[in-house]
Amino acid sequence: MTSEKQAATQARVAAVLTGSNGVQGLAVDAIGIDHDGMVCVTATPEQLHEVCVLLRDALGFESNTFVTARDHGVGREQRFEMFYQFLSVAHVDRVRVRVMTTGDDPEVPTITDLWPGTSFSERECWDLMGVRFSGHPDLRRLLMPQGYDHHPLRKDFPHVGIEPDKLYNQWDEERRAAFAISEAERLEGKR
Amino acid sequence: MGQVGLSEAPFSESFAATRLDWIVNWARKNSLWPMPLGLSCCGIELMAMIGPKFDLARFGAEAARFTPRQCDLLIVAGTMTWKMAQAVRLVYDQMPEPKWVMTMGVCSSTGGMYDSYAVVQGVDSILPVDVYVPGCPPRPDAVIDSIIKLQQRIQRERPVKDLIEGIPDYADVGTGHTLHQPNRAVAHKKLPALPTRPSQD
């Protein structure tokens, strides 16, 4: 059931996004209401950045709550679905943007230039789901060790992990080799 | 002047005859300084154990040092991830001999319920462990009980023998438990041959 508040938000967002200065190619029915009652904009990766600019500047959504992704399963043409959620403290309002991507290694434009705090959310999303954010200034892993080859929250990742000890053992061998060399030099100096 | 026996007072009151091993072990076991490595919720019970209510000072182990250079006992309290494993290994390596390791709680003992890509399935994958404490988290009483068990174990050690023969090469190697952890993904791997003590000749 849609409340008056939600209908008002939907009308406000639709008026700006599909108006005369709105996003190119965004239809009115792209702004709907999700099953949980939140106003949701369905966009394509090309439209995403433009939508976010309007949400921030024209509609007053001043903060990004999270960026996350959902894996629809291996072998699907449209495999990863991106979710962006925004909060407006001034209007006491939230809005969600969802973006379908194609392929196993999807790429979407970053929104770090609009909300700098999104950087960590996008790094986490790249780390765990393997979604690349083009234009991100510093797209490193956030939680898993640097140099890990896999993305743990994908559907085809086994829950027990793929060689979880590989990086540790690599580090351990290098450390022992360096110690053996320095120990040999020390003994050499003693003689 | 007749022969003086060791049992004659007051001469015998000025010294006690004992073995060197025994007196070294006695000093070591009653001054176990723990390194509190609280990695998750077990750390809270660890703090309670050191605090006044359970009072670890009764067993000479209350001086928790936050630098590994001054510690004898490494208490790994909580879930250890593979990313944290490097730090734990460094802390262990920086501790001076003699040193002992205690795993507190099921997570650090066996991985516990976290049979996951991120968690080490038991600290004994990377370190030689002396005492395992079960519980999730274990009560402070249980940990104190294991410290007493560790003290009994230390009393049986042979420090003079180690001094003469040297500490064996495998002393800093884990059990290789990582290669037969309950993970199905690595269950097919073969066990490595454990390193053996070098022969006497």
Short mmCIF file of all heavy atoms in Angstrom, two decimals, chain A residues 3 7 28 32 47 50 52 65 67 70-71 92 114 118 123 138 141-142 149 163 178 186:
data_model
loop_
_atom_site.label_atom_id
_atom_site.label_comp_id
_atom_site.label_asym_id
_atom_site.label_seq_id
_atom_site.Cartn_x
_atom_site.Cartn_y
_atom_site.Cartn_z
N SER A 3 1.58 5.09 0.69
CA SER A 3 1.10 6.20 1.51
C SER A 3 1.20 7.50 0.72
O SER A 3 1.79 7.55 -0.36
CB SER A 3 1.92 6.29 2.79
OG SER A 3 3.22 6.70 2.46
N ALA A 7 3.80 8.62 -2.37
CA ALA A 7 3.30 9.11 -3.66
C ALA A 7 3.85 10.50 -3.96
O ALA A 7 4.24 10.79 -5.09
CB ALA A 7 1.77 9.15 -3.63
N VAL A 28 8.89 7.71 -17.61
CA VAL A 28 8.22 8.00 -16.34
C VAL A 28 8.02 6.72 -15.53
O VAL A 28 8.14 6.71 -14.29
CB VAL A 28 6.86 8.68 -16.61
CG1 VAL A 28 6.15 8.99 -15.31
CG2 VAL A 28 7.05 9.94 -17.41
N GLY A 32 9.37 3.87 -9.83
CA GLY A 32 8.27 3.11 -9.23
C GLY A 32 8.43 3.07 -7.72
O GLY A 32 9.22 3.80 -7.14
N GLN A 47 22.97 6.04 -17.68
CA GLN A 47 22.17 7.11 -17.07
C GLN A 47 22.53 7.37 -15.62
O GLN A 47 22.16 8.40 -15.06
CB GLN A 47 20.69 6.74 -17.15
CG GLN A 47 20.13 6.71 -18.55
CD GLN A 47 18.79 6.02 -18.58
OE1 GLN A 47 18.44 5.29 -17.66
NE2 GLN A 47 18.03 6.26 -19.64
N GLU A 50 24.13 10.73 -14.32
CA GLU A 50 23.24 11.87 -14.51
C GLU A 50 22.10 11.86 -13.48
O GLU A 50 21.76 12.90 -12.90
CB GLU A 50 22.66 11.79 -15.92
CG GLU A 50 22.58 13.11 -16.63
CD GLU A 50 22.14 12.92 -18.07
OE1 GLU A 50 22.50 11.88 -18.68
OE2 GLU A 50 21.42 13.79 -18.56
N CYS A 52 22.25 10.57 -10.53
CA CYS A 52 22.79 10.89 -9.22
C CYS A 52 23.03 12.39 -9.08
O CYS A 52 22.82 12.96 -8.00
CB CYS A 52 24.08 10.12 -8.97
SG CYS A 52 23.79 8.38 -8.75
N THR A 65 23.61 6.28 1.44
CA THR A 65 23.58 5.32 2.54
C THR A 65 24.48 4.12 2.25
O THR A 65 25.30 3.75 3.06
CB THR A 65 22.15 4.84 2.78
OG1 THR A 65 21.30 5.96 2.81
CG2 THR A 65 22.05 4.09 4.08
N VAL A 67 26.20 1.44 -1.18
CA VAL A 67 26.26 0.92 -2.55
C VAL A 67 26.45 -0.57 -2.41
O VAL A 67 27.35 -1.02 -1.70
CB VAL A 67 27.45 1.53 -3.31
CG1 VAL A 67 27.54 0.91 -4.69
CG2 VAL A 67 27.34 3.02 -3.40
N ARG A 70 23.85 -7.34 -6.15
CA ARG A 70 23.18 -8.61 -5.92
C ARG A 70 23.53 -9.52 -7.10
O ARG A 70 23.51 -9.08 -8.25
CB ARG A 70 21.69 -8.35 -5.85
CG ARG A 70 20.82 -9.56 -5.78
CD ARG A 70 19.39 -9.07 -5.75
NE ARG A 70 18.44 -10.16 -5.85
CZ ARG A 70 17.16 -9.97 -6.10
NH1 ARG A 70 16.68 -8.75 -6.27
NH2 ARG A 70 16.34 -11.00 -6.18
N ASP A 71 23.88 -10.76 -6.80
CA ASP A 71 24.27 -11.71 -7.83
C ASP A 71 23.06 -12.55 -8.18
O ASP A 71 22.56 -13.29 -7.34
CB ASP A 71 25.42 -12.57 -7.29
CG ASP A 71 26.00 -13.45 -8.37
OD1 ASP A 71 25.45 -13.48 -9.48
OD2 ASP A 71 27.01 -14.12 -8.10
N VAL A 92 13.54 14.43 4.93
CA VAL A 92 13.24 13.19 5.65
C VAL A 92 12.76 12.14 4.65
O VAL A 92 11.63 11.65 4.70
CB VAL A 92 12.18 13.40 6.75
CG1 VAL A 92 12.26 12.26 7.75
CG2 VAL A 92 12.40 14.71 7.46
N LEU A 114 30.66 12.67 -6.60
CA LEU A 114 29.50 13.38 -6.04
C LEU A 114 29.45 13.26 -4.53
O LEU A 114 29.19 14.22 -3.81
CB LEU A 114 28.22 12.83 -6.65
CG LEU A 114 28.15 12.85 -8.18
CD1 LEU A 114 26.91 12.16 -8.65
CD2 LEU A 114 28.18 14.28 -8.68
N THR A 118 31.33 7.64 -0.60
CA THR A 118 30.95 6.42 -1.31
C THR A 118 32.16 5.55 -1.64
O THR A 118 32.02 4.39 -1.96
CB THR A 118 30.23 6.82 -2.60
OG1 THR A 118 29.31 7.84 -2.29
CG2 THR A 118 29.48 5.67 -3.19
N ARG A 123 34.59 0.35 -2.80
CA ARG A 123 35.71 -0.57 -2.63
C ARG A 123 35.25 -1.90 -2.06
O ARG A 123 35.71 -2.96 -2.46
CB ARG A 123 36.76 0.05 -1.70
CG ARG A 123 37.70 0.99 -2.40
CD ARG A 123 38.63 1.64 -1.41
NE ARG A 123 39.49 0.68 -0.76
CZ ARG A 123 40.24 0.96 0.30
NH1 ARG A 123 40.23 2.16 0.81
NH2 ARG A 123 41.00 0.02 0.84
N ASP A 138 40.78 5.18 -6.30
CA ASP A 138 41.63 4.28 -5.53
C ASP A 138 40.87 2.97 -5.30
O ASP A 138 40.43 2.69 -4.20
CB ASP A 138 41.99 4.94 -4.19
CG ASP A 138 42.95 4.10 -3.38
OD1 ASP A 138 43.64 3.28 -3.99
OD2 ASP A 138 43.00 4.28 -2.16
N ARG A 141 41.17 -3.38 -2.68
CA ARG A 141 40.30 -4.21 -1.85
C ARG A 141 40.16 -3.57 -0.48
O ARG A 141 41.07 -2.91 0.01
CB ARG A 141 40.90 -5.61 -1.71
CG ARG A 141 40.77 -6.41 -2.97
CD ARG A 141 41.41 -7.76 -2.83
NE ARG A 141 41.09 -8.58 -3.97
CZ ARG A 141 40.01 -9.32 -4.06
NH1 ARG A 141 39.17 -9.37 -3.05
NH2 ARG A 141 39.76 -10.02 -5.13
N LEU A 142 39.01 -3.80 0.14
CA LEU A 142 38.78 -3.20 1.45
C LEU A 142 38.94 -4.22 2.57
O LEU A 142 39.60 -3.96 3.56
CB LEU A 142 37.37 -2.61 1.51
CG LEU A 142 37.01 -1.86 2.79
CD1 LEU A 142 37.86 -0.63 2.92
CD2 LEU A 142 35.56 -1.48 2.79
N ASP A 149 42.64 -13.33 -5.43
CA ASP A 149 42.19 -13.38 -6.82
C ASP A 149 40.68 -13.49 -6.98
O ASP A 149 40.17 -13.40 -8.08
CB ASP A 149 42.84 -14.58 -7.53
CG ASP A 149 44.33 -14.43 -7.62
OD1 ASP A 149 44.79 -13.27 -7.65
OD2 ASP A 149 45.04 -15.44 -7.65
N GLU A 163 41.66 -21.61 -1.62
CA GLU A 163 43.03 -21.41 -1.12
C GLU A 163 43.12 -20.23 -0.16
O GLU A 163 43.81 -19.24 -0.43
CB GLU A 163 43.99 -21.20 -2.29
CG GLU A 163 44.18 -22.43 -3.12
CD GLU A 163 45.23 -22.22 -4.18
OE1 GLU A 163 45.14 -21.24 -4.92
OE2 GLU A 163 46.15 -23.03 -4.25
N ALA A 178 64.18 -14.51 3.77
CA ALA A 178 64.91 -13.29 4.13
C ALA A 178 65.66 -13.50 5.44
O ALA A 178 66.81 -13.06 5.58
CB ALA A 178 63.93 -12.12 4.25
N ARG A 186 75.07 -12.71 9.14
CA ARG A 186 75.51 -12.47 10.51
C ARG A 186 76.61 -13.45 10.90
O ARG A 186 77.62 -13.08 11.49
CB ARG A 186 74.31 -12.60 11.45
CG ARG A 186 74.55 -12.11 12.86
CD ARG A 186 73.28 -12.21 13.67
NE ARG A 186 72.87 -13.59 13.86
CZ ARG A 186 73.32 -14.36 14.85
NH1 ARG A 186 74.16 -13.88 15.72
NH2 ARG A 186 72.91 -15.61 14.97
#
